[in-house]
Amino acid sequence: MHVEIYTDGAAQGNPGPGGYGVILKYGDKVKKLAKGFRLTTNNRMELMAVIAGLEALKKNGLDVEVISDSRYVVDAVERGWLSDWVKKNFKNKKNRDLWERFLQASSKHRVKFKWIKGHNDHPYNEMCDRMAVEAASSPPLAVDTGYESGLYN
C-alpha cells in the first residue's frame, strides 16, 4: 500500500504563533489535518506536520512518500544528518523532542521524502500552506510544550 503525505508548516514570527497542514492521500481517499500552536517556530511546524501525517496512519508497514517544501526536514533525513544527530545524542541540535517522535512514527513504515519548491503552484502544497497559516491564527491554539519549556530549542 502506498500513501502520499503532503505537508507544510508556518509560523507568524519565528518564534510566534504557528501551525501545520497535512494532506494524506491513499488511492482516491484524502484526509486533511491541521493544528495551531500559540508559540513555536517554522522548523518545528514543518517537522510536526510530517509527524502528524505519520501518526495518523492506522496500519503499519506502509510505503509512505512524504512530499514537503522543507529543506530542513527533507535534507535531515535524506542526507543522513538525522542519523549523525542520533549517534551524537542530538548534541547542540534543536527540536530533539520532535526528531525522536519522528523516528518513532517513521519506524513503522517505509518512508521516503520528496522535496518540492514551495509557493510554486503545486495544488496540495498550496492547500497545506493555507491550512497551516489558518491554523496558526485560529484559536484555541495549543501549547508547543517542547518549545515553550526551552528544553529543545
Side-chain angles (χ1 to χ4, degrees), residues 23-59:
I23 297 173
L24 295 100
K25 282 191 67 200
Y26 172 67
D28 60 351
K29 296 180 183 179
V30 175
K31 182 175 183 174
K32 297 177 184 177
L33 308 168
K35 187 170 182 177
F37 295 83
R38 67 182 189 186
L39 184 64
T40 191
T41 67
N42 186 67
N43 280 346
R44 287 183 67 81
M45 291 298 95
E46 295 281 8
L47 181 52
M48 191 60 219
V50 174
I51 294 166
L54 291 169
E55 290 179 346
L57 299 173
K58 297 192 181 346
K59 295 181 182 178

Side-chain angles (χ1 to χ4, degrees), residues 3 10 20 32 39 42-43 45 52 58 62 78-80 88 99 105 109 118 129 134 136-137 142 150:
V3 178
Y20 65 77
K32 297 177 184 177
L39 184 64
N42 186 67
N43 280 346
M45 291 298 95
K58 297 192 181 346
L62 300 173
E78 292 295 308
R79 293 180 182 232
K88 295 176 183 173
W99 283 115
H109 307 286
D129 179 63
E134 184 176 326
S137 55

Side-chain angles (χ1 to χ4, degrees), residues 66-71 74-75 113-118:
V66 176
I67 299 98
S68 172
D69 65 5
S70 171
R71 284 282 186 202
V74 174
D75 287 353
F113 280 81
K114 178 180 179 184
W115 179 82
I116 58 172
K117 183 176 175 140

Side-chain angles (χ1 to χ4, degrees), residues 56-107:
L57 299 173
K58 297 192 181 346
K59 295 181 182 178
N60 291 340
L62 300 173
D63 290 316
V64 179
E65 182 177 29
V66 176
I67 299 98
S68 172
D69 65 5
S70 171
R71 284 282 186 202
Y72 171 67
V73 175
V74 174
D75 287 353
V77 176
E78 292 295 308
R79 293 180 182 232
W81 303 342
L82 180 55
S83 296
D84 291 341
W85 299 343
V86 169
K87 288 175 191 169
K88 295 176 183 173
N89 201 30
F90 292 93
K91 185 176 180 182
N92 300 320
K93 292 297 166 199
K94 295 181 178 183
N95 307 319
R96 175 184 183 152
D97 59 325
L98 295 183
W99 283 115
E100 288 176 338
R101 192 168 158 189
F102 164 79
L103 289 167
Q104 177 68 28
S106 64
S107 70

Side-chain angles (χ1 to χ4, degrees), residues 134-151:
E134 184 176 326
S137 55
S138 298
L141 297 176
V143 175
D144 180 350
T145 53
Y147 184 81
E148 291 196 35
S149 71
L151 292 175

